[in-house]
Amino acid sequence: MANKEVFGRDHGLRRADGVSHEGGAAYRRSDAQALAQLAATGCLNQTFYLGAEEQLEELLMLAGEAEPEFLAQTAIWCRREGYMKDTPAVLAAVLSIREPALFRQVFGRVVDNGKMLRNFVQVMRSGAVGRTSLGTAPKSMVQSWLNTASDKALLAASVGQDPNLADVIRMVHPKAEDERRNAFFAWLIGRPCDVELLPQSVQDWLAMKAGVKGRPVPDVPFQMLASLPLTTRHWIKIAERGGWQMVRMNLNTFQRHGVFENRKMVARIAAKLRDADEIARARVFPYQLLAAWKHADPALPVEIREALQDAMEIAVGNVPKLPGVVAVCPDVSGSMSWATTGARLGATSKVRCIDVAGLMAAAVLRKNRQAYVLPFEQDVVDIRLNPRDTVVTNAEALASIGGGGTACSAPLARLNAMRARVDTVILVSDNESWADRRSGWGRGTAMMKEWETLKRRNKGAKLICIDITPNVTVQAYERRDVLNVGGFSDRVFDLIAAFANDRLDPDHWVGEIEKVRL
């Protein structure tokens, strides 16, 4: 009998030409696809498989080889659509050296707040992109940002270190035509100035810090209030005035300072948390709500905890109702227990990759209630979920079953064993498949072999692979029926819907980035 390893039905598969970090067979991505993946998922911190320096080295190599226009488009896309912070700053820094004129067009769309300004300056002066000074174009753009930012934006930018805003001001020496702004610059760097020329919020802060009574709670960043002698009444004012993200991040602080002893404040904060317009303006990641839920003090009022769950339902409201039968497959293997944004001393997130995978799966099930849910590690882990339960409840159930090796082919093998009819398969993973490593003369990955088998039974089926970690390889290569997408913003759900409904080409992601107008 002929050797099936040589003459098997998967002979037409593309040969796996790459290796995952775990040593499993994989497919290499094109440079453009790899740059998009790293830009949308790169946390530049230690991950389970990849160190911060390795991520940066890979990102800089790809950025250095990319066409300047695509580099600019990627920087804008991963900031505006992916809500990333570090990688767009790195890409803008590379562009400032390669194409200063194009960099000037991009700067304001990437550096859109004080945090991003400090990130960009830190990247430039670190020497990581080849220089330790800003250079003419970057210095000019930083000066322009400082001169044109609102008082509120400039004050917000003053919170944070490495570098702090005073360092940035001393570095670029901005000169404003407005004497008030120049007085503000002087105060920010600790030089004498006419206090009467400072913004009213700063004057109020200085007065309260000096112990002057009867002054209103200053309208300054939350972090600046920590050193002030505040009463419960002051904390109530702070909570009333806070933006959505600030309130979400400080629920436990408000609890400690007695804000929720006021029943009207409980109702107001709950209403803010579940306000759809506020959620949209704050560009909320569903996983941020999961983080708030996981960190919430059990003593918080029931109304506040319920409001967080309501906010989650709103945040995943654009999860599509997909046509036909759906299978959603979250990776629950051991490597998925790593923090979503990587490990960093003193700042490691408690939200893990497995939490995000579980959250995405639960969100899909919420809108596609007949979906197969097939969590997997080396094999599929059997679990029964109630689609009527909240997204938070089902996400926590999925995240509680983690451990073991990774076989991305496992859920497809299960569907094939069931001879299931399916139209869309969504797999959420770190793509580090190794437990299904193929040997001998096998042409492709085990996942592609199983997908080919499924396709013979379901000719119109689509496979969507969501990779939530910084990778340059995939387990299933792009075809008309296979989509690879990186990241975990709610923007991913739009792309899932478009591909499932034949509105996107397989190489959609690069295509989406190339739509960015410069």
Side-chain angles (χ1 to χ4, degrees):
M1 180 179 289
N3 186 339
K4 290 186 178 180
E5 286 291 344
V6 178
F7 300 106
R9 295 190 65 175
D10 64 330
H11 188 85
L13 287 180
R14 195 177 110 193
R15 185 179 293 276
D17 57 357
V19 179
S20 70
H21 295 117
E22 191 61 77
Y27 298 101
R28 291 177 59 84
R29 311 204 73 180
S30 72
D31 286 351
Q33 292 165 345
L35 177 61
Q37 172 70 22
L38 288 180
T41 61
C43 53
L44 299 182
N45 292 319
Q46 176 70 46
T47 65
F48 189 88
Y49 290 103
L50 203 60
E53 291 294 332
E54 294 171 285
Q55 285 184 59
L56 180 60
E57 182 179 345
E58 190 79 48
L59 182 66
L60 291 175
M61 183 192 72
L62 292 166
E65 295 176 354
E67 290 294 326
E69 290 76 13
F70 184 73
L71 178 61
Q73 290 167 321
T74 304
I76 295 170
W77 193 92
C78 70
R79 176 60 188 153
R80 308 295 287 189
E81 303 292 345
Y83 313 144
M84 300 299 284
K85 299 180 180 70
D86 293 341
T87 50
V90 172
L91 299 185
V94 173
L95 191 64
S96 74
I97 296 173
R98 292 189 59 192
E99 293 286 343
L102 190 55
F103 161 77
R104 289 177 182 271
Q105 297 180 43
V106 167
F107 182 84
R109 298 166 70 181
V110 172
V111 180
D112 54 6
N113 61 31
K115 168 65 173 170
M116 286 301 299
L117 181 78
R118 292 188 294 102
N119 281 357
F120 173 77
V121 172
Q122 181 182 357
V123 169
M124 290 297 298
R125 74 175 190 172
S126 72
V129 298
R131 64 189 309 169
T132 56
S133 62
L134 288 181
T136 302
K139 181 177 180 180
S140 172
M141 297 309 296
V142 171
Q143 286 175 333
S144 177
W145 192 96
L146 292 169
N147 283 327
T148 59
S150 67
D151 288 345
K152 191 168 186 176
L154 201 58
L155 197 57
S158 70
V159 175
Q161 301 294 323
D162 298 324
N164 59 37
L165 189 63
D167 294 333
V168 176
I169 292 171
R170 293 189 190 100
M171 193 181 303
V172 302
H173 306 292
K175 297 270 188 226
E177 295 182 3
D178 181 1
E179 61 176 347
R180 293 182 177 275
R181 178 52 56 96
N182 285 324
F184 199 1
F185 287 151
W187 178 78
L188 286 166
I189 64 175
R191 289 183 178 174
C193 66
D194 185 348
V195 173
E196 295 295 324
L197 295 177
L198 295 176
Q200 188 61 51
S201 58
V202 175
Q203 294 184 44
D204 292 338
W205 181 81
L206 289 170
M208 183 170 278
K209 187 177 180 181
V212 178
K213 298 188 177 184
R215 299 295 289 263
V217 177
D219 186 12
V220 298
F222 179 80
Q223 296 89 331
M224 292 179 64
L225 299 173
S227 61
L228 300 181
L230 301 177
T231 65
T232 297
R233 181 177 59 82
H234 290 137
W235 282 105
I236 287 174
K237 288 292 184 184
I238 292 167
E240 285 179 328
R241 194 170 59 206
W244 193 95
Q245 289 285 20
M246 188 277 271
V247 169
R248 189 260 310 177
M249 295 171 66
N250 290 283
L251 293 173
N252 292 345
T253 300
F254 297 150
Q255 173 71 18
R256 287 195 304 272
H257 290 284
V259 171
F260 295 133
E261 293 174 10
N262 183 312
R263 298 304 302 168
K264 289 184 179 179
M265 283 305 300
V266 172
R268 288 175 185 171
I269 296 300
K272 180 188 286 285
L273 289 172
R274 61 167 62 97
D275 187 302
D277 291 336
E278 291 262 12
I279 290 170
R281 277 194 296 272
R283 298 195 295 185
V284 178
F285 272 176
Y287 91 89
Q288 291 174 320
L289 282 159
L290 184 62
W293 173 261
K294 289 170 74 72
H295 296 151
D297 187 332
L300 283 173
V302 172
E303 297 94 321
I304 298 297
R305 296 176 67 84
E306 289 182 346
L308 285 173
Q309 294 206 52
D310 292 342
M312 175 68 81
E313 299 292 334
I314 294 168
V316 298
N318 64 338
V319 176
K321 175 69 171 72
L322 299 173
V325 180
V326 178
V328 58
C329 315
D331 182 349
V332 296
S333 64
S335 61
M336 294 287 285
S337 64
W338 205 260
T340 304
T341 52
R344 187 176 60 179
L345 186 62
T348 299
S349 171
K350 291 186 178 180
V351 179
R352 305 160 299 163
C353 292
I354 194 172
D355 295 317
V356 172
L359 175 59
M360 286 190 159
V364 171
L365 178 64
R366 196 80 169 95
K367 286 292 187 71
N368 302 271
R369 296 191 173 188
Q370 302 303 312
Y372 293 104
V373 180
L374 303 172
F376 69 94
E377 20 106 337
Q378 290 181 213
D379 200 354
V380 170
V381 180
D382 293 313
I383 186 173
R384 293 180 66 85
L385 298 177
N386 182 352
R388 292 182 178 275
D389 282 344
T390 66
V391 171
V392 168
T393 299
N394 282 332
E396 289 185 332
L398 288 167
S400 70
I401 58 175
T406 309
C408 289
S409 62
L412 299 180
R414 173 66 66 88
L415 291 169
N416 285 331
M418 295 165 57
R419 299 195 60 77
R421 293 290 175 182
V422 65
D423 298 283
T424 304
V425 178
I426 303 171
L427 185 134
V428 190
S429 174
D430 63 5
N431 251 342
E432 293 295 341
S433 196
W434 61 269
D436 54 358
R437 185 185 289 117
R438 300 190 69 196
S439 60
W441 291 91
R443 269 26 185 209
T445 61
M447 184 174 178
M448 279 305 291
K449 181 182 179 183
E450 294 293 347
W451 180 244
E452 283 293 283
T453 301
L454 187 145
K455 285 286 290 184
R456 287 196 287 271
R457 199 174 57 256
N458 302 276
K459 297 191 182 301
K462 301 283 183 69
L463 173 63
I464 301 170
C465 302
I466 303 171
D467 192 341
I468 56 178
T469 56
N471 275 324
V472 294
T473 63
V474 292
Q475 287 295 303
Y477 56 87
E478 277 80 4
R479 310 190 313 189
R480 293 201 63 79
D481 59 336
V482 178
L483 168 74
N484 284 293
V485 60
F488 43 88
S489 76
D490 56 0
R491 181 78 174 95
V492 170
F493 295 129
D494 296 332
L495 301 177
I496 289 172
F499 189 70
N501 289 284
D502 296 316
R503 298 197 306 270
L504 270 186
D505 292 329
D507 202 18
H508 76 290
W509 202 4
V510 170
E512 287 292 296
I513 291 172
E514 289 175 337
K515 290 178 184 177
V516 173
R517 293 193 174 188
L518 298 176

